[in-house]
Amino acid sequence: MKKLLLLLPVLLLFSCTKTVMYTKTFNDFQDNRWSKTDIKVFDFDIKKDIESADISFIFTHTIDPQYKNVHMELVIKYPDGKSYNISLNPQLKDDSGNSYSDCGENYCEVKMNVKQDMKMPAGKYEITLENKYDEDYLPNVNSLGITVESDD
């Protein structure tokens, strides 16, 4: 009985983990600038129907990006051709200038959930991410990425 009680927390830990179905990061920003014309495209295939998937977005920037939030548009294109648009506006700083980002020595990172508990039928998906910053480019960008995880 004691062995069973010792194994229970381990079983619970493994039963709550998610499977990464897809992940990709872009870090090709010349001079840390993300141009308005540079739409990032994430293409991937889902081999089997997924009942519950989560999509998250990761944005890394320089220590002081000189802006409080980032305006972007994310579009998820399903295998049947339908699209789902999401406006993203991750906050990097509060009104007092304190960072919401998780910062290291050389860069800061913000991770946000984009879509949760999403049904994903098998097939080809395309996610596009567009910079909606007011200027020609968004400065001080190190990388951005998308991760798709499932409970299955």
Side-chain angles (χ1 to χ4, degrees):
M1 185 67 167
K2 287 183 182 180
K3 288 182 183 179
L4 182 59
L5 290 175
L6 290 174
L7 286 176
L8 187 59
V10 173
L11 291 173
L12 288 174
L13 175 68
F14 285 106
S15 67
C16 296
T17 60
K18 294 187 179 273
T19 301
V20 175
M21 306 298 296
Y22 173 80
T23 188
K24 183 174 183 177
T25 301
F26 286 99
N27 56 7
D28 58 345
F29 300 99
Q30 186 173 358
D31 298 323
N32 295 83
R33 295 176 175 181
W34 182 16
S35 170
K36 281 186 91 99
T37 60
D38 184 15
I39 297 172
K40 297 301 183 185
V41 179
F42 303 84
D43 292 270
F44 58 96
D45 289 315
I46 298 294
K47 302 294 183 203
K48 63 176 187 158
D49 291 349
I50 303 296
E51 285 299 312
S52 178
D54 298 337
I55 298 176
S56 57
F57 165 73
I58 300 166
F59 177 76
T60 62
H61 57 85
T62 59
I63 297 292
D64 184 15
Q66 301 170 351
Y67 41 85
K68 290 198 288 188
N69 56 353
V70 183
H71 300 286
M72 294 174 273
E73 183 170 9
L74 183 137
V75 178
I76 302 169
K77 186 175 179 185
Y78 290 81
D80 64 3
K82 292 182 182 175
S83 294
Y84 184 78
N85 294 35
I86 302 170
S87 291
L88 299 178
N89 193 16
Q91 295 293 119
L92 306 181
K93 296 180 179 183
D94 64 18
D95 290 335
S96 300
N98 298 314
S99 179
Y100 287 128
S101 304
D102 183 19
C103 295
E105 284 185 38
N106 300 319
Y107 67 91
C108 297
E109 178 180 279
V110 173
K111 182 176 180 180
M112 67 183 291
N113 291 324
V114 174
K115 189 99 169 102
Q116 290 184 293
D117 299 324
M118 173 180 161
K119 287 189 180 204
M120 296 184 81
K124 183 171 177 58
Y125 286 80
E126 180 183 274
I127 297 176
T128 58
L129 192 58
E130 185 176 351
N131 167 11
K132 294 291 188 178
Y133 192 64
D134 291 336
E135 304 298 324
D136 290 339
Y137 63 86
L138 180 67
N140 302 316
V141 177
N142 290 347
S143 68
L144 54 90
I146 296 288
T147 300
V148 180
E149 297 176 305
S150 78
D151 294 329
D152 299 343

